[in-house]
Amino acid sequence: MPAFGFRSWAEISRAKLAENFRRVSAVVGDGVEIVGVVKADAYGHGAVEVSRVLTGAGARWLAVSSAEEGITLREAGIDARILVMSDRATAVYRELVHYRLTPVVHSLSDLRELSSLAAGSGAPLSYHLKIDTGMGRLGTRADAAQIAAAVKEAANLRLEGLMTHFASSADYTNKQTERQVRAFNRIAAGLKKAGICPQFMHMSSTNPVAYGRREALQNMIRVGHALYGYVSPARGEAPERVLHVEPVLSWKASVISTKEVPEHAHIGYGGMFRTHRPTRIAILGVGYADGLSHRLSNRGHVIAAGKLVPILGAVSMDLTTIDVTDCPSIQPGDTVTLLGSEGDVSINAQQMARMAGTISYDILCGIRARVKRVYV
Ligand SMILES: *Cc1c(COP(=O)(O)O)cnc(C)c1O
């Protein structure tokens, strides 16, 4: 238990984060710029500290979702280029300029509007243009000729990057990714013919990098999940993974109280669990208000004294009960592990996600602000 006595906290390893960045670099090689994706508070790892580590490891680019997230980094003194991936550039134009943030533009009408906002501003604002090659979310679906005309018309802006995003890049049961790559290359070739050659071309997030889709790397990649130590499992006949990373975050909780209850005792809200033997329980200072999914009620596990033990009954707002009958050493004040490892027993966010019926991204982003982040 740490000296500060938190009920629940997340330990984030700077060394592992930097190592994951280096492993991504080693896989993609020189000539591919790595954008460290630190949106959503760096997937719950703390955007400012993560950005410091990544820039220290050599990252020259970071990506966030909103101008507001970019401003937080600038105000903390982060000097790297910052790509704002999912905001409305026209709505935050002043902030983009003032904080030197680089917007992704999602449509040709936004491009025209942004260019008129930038009229008379002196230095042109650099932007990356997103193409919807089949994701069916953000990005323009215009053809190369229409894009070329709009880019040339937007004379107060500078097209620095052309990008797209894959819908199913770990899915080897269909050809959606290949189709998206072809659609992107077709647009890029059309723009080139029109004399438009953006400095950066990027389409890949973690999965295409991890499964070695070389044709999708272009000269820039945007990786988040891998930096935090995860790669989504592939579907279908995937090639062997070329990237190996390790989870950066461990999630801990302290034991508030322990006690013995008899056989047939109800545990927690709704009496959702009933003991089938005299049971020693431990009550943890963590609940769904900390991000421990209510769906782990009667299903999830934690690691106590190096053993995997079950969650008993309902996860409640601030408390969770576990079975420590087989861990006699566990006492109030001890620490258990929700995510991470003790000895050779471990639980990662993908395993927790499977139990909770969600995905690892959701588990990591779901760890709430009141869970203190401790950097080790
Ligand atoms: C979140 C995001 C990424 C990073 O994806 P990971 O799977 O975490 O590597 C890349 N590009 C865009 C557009 C994103 O929204």
Side-chain angles (χ1 to χ4, degrees):
M1 152 136 201
F4 30 85
F6 299 142
R7 289 166 23 100
S8 175
W9 66 99
E11 287 175 10
I12 291 136
S13 164
R14 292 188 179 95
K16 282 188 183 157
L17 179 62
E19 176 61 20
N20 289 343
F21 181 86
R22 281 190 289 273
R23 290 190 190 178
V24 171
S25 303
V27 163
V28 299
D30 293 339
V32 179
E33 192 77 41
I34 301 170
V35 182
V37 179
V38 296
K39 64 192 181 192
D41 205 24
Y43 298 34
H45 294 62
V48 168
E49 198 54 42
V50 164
S51 296
R52 286 190 186 126
V53 172
L54 293 179
T55 51
R60 288 180 290 250
W61 281 83
L62 300 168
V64 293
S65 282
S66 62
E68 191 178 4
E69 289 180 345
I71 292 168
T72 301
L73 297 184
R74 282 287 181 256
E75 288 186 334
I78 302 294
D79 204 39
R81 293 291 303 277
I82 298 177
L83 189 66
V84 178
M85 297 193 296
S86 4
D87 211 335
R88 275 188 63 225
T90 51
V92 291
Y93 171 70
R94 280 166 208 267
E95 287 79 8
L96 294 171
V97 172
H98 187 258
Y99 291 94
R100 298 176 291 114
L101 307 173
T102 305
V104 173
V105 174
H106 312 294
S107 75
L108 301 187
S109 61
D110 283 356
L111 186 56
R112 281 187 278 274
E113 200 183 321
L114 196 65
S115 184
S116 52
L117 285 170
S121 67
L125 177 67
S126 293
Y127 70 99
H128 292 217
L129 182 66
K130 190 165 192 177
I131 312 295
D132 180 1
T133 53
M135 170 75 176
R137 204 178 56 181
L138 288 173
T140 178
R141 295 182 85 113
D143 64 27
Q146 293 166 319
I147 295 171
V151 165
K152 286 179 175 168
E153 214 179 291
N156 306 311
L157 305 173
R158 186 174 81 90
L159 178 64
E160 183 185 32
L162 193 70
M163 65 186 279
T164 193
H165 191 48
F166 295 127
S168 323
S169 54
D171 190 347
Y172 285 84
T173 65
N174 63 55
K175 298 277 175 215
Q176 188 179 12
T177 304
E178 284 82 347
R179 283 196 299 275
Q180 288 196 256
V181 171
R182 273 200 304 278
F184 185 81
N185 288 339
R186 210 157 38 232
I187 298 274
L191 292 184
K192 193 171 176 196
K193 247 190 223 157
I196 298 169
C197 300
Q199 183 185 352
F200 295 112
M201 307 291 255
H202 48 116
M203 33 195 355
S204 292
S205 56
T206 290
N207 294 334
V209 174
Y211 292 102
R213 292 190 193 260
R214 292 300 309 186
E215 75 287 2
L217 297 192
Q218 307 276 332
N219 68 352
M220 181 178 251
I221 57 170
R222 311 176 303 267
V223 289
H225 215 209
L227 298 177
Y228 308 110
Y230 292 93
V231 172
S232 301
R235 298 185 56 203
E237 307 254 325
E240 213 180 312
R241 264 168 60 173
V242 295
L243 175 68
H244 300 278
V245 286
E246 280 177 42
V248 163
L249 178 147
S250 303
W251 188 5
K252 311 273 186 178
S254 41
V255 173
I256 295 195
S257 182
T258 59
K259 70 178 155 197
E260 313 280 345
V261 296
E263 189 181 7
H264 302 316
H266 291 285
I267 303 293
Y269 284 120
M272 208 187 267
F273 183 82
R274 204 157 166 237
T275 56
H276 44 76
R277 59 175 180 180
T279 301
R280 184 158 179 271
I281 60 174
I283 297 92
L284 309 177
V286 66
Y288 61 76
D290 299 286
L292 189 67
S293 174
H294 185 265
R295 296 213 192 146
L296 293 172
S297 299
N298 261 339
R299 293 177 57 87
H301 289 81
V302 311
I303 307 169
K307 288 190 186 132
L308 213 53
V309 303
I311 291 175
L312 302 183
V315 171
S316 37
M317 189 181 293
D318 308 306
L319 299 168
T320 297
T321 301
I322 59 170
D323 184 342
V324 290
T325 312
D326 299 328
C327 316
S329 69
I330 287 285
Q331 297 300 329
D334 284 353
T335 296
V336 305
T337 300
L338 311 177
L339 284 180
S341 55
E342 292 185 19
D344 52 10
V345 182
S346 70
I347 302 177
N348 66 38
Q350 284 167 334
Q351 293 162 330
M352 184 183 274
R354 259 195 301 283
M355 285 302 229
T358 182
I359 57 174
S360 49
Y361 295 75
D362 184 28
I363 295 289
L364 295 172
C365 295
I367 303 173
R368 302 287 166 82
R370 84 171 179 187
V371 176
K372 294 282 183 297
R373 269 60 173 181
V374 180
Y375 296 90
V376 295

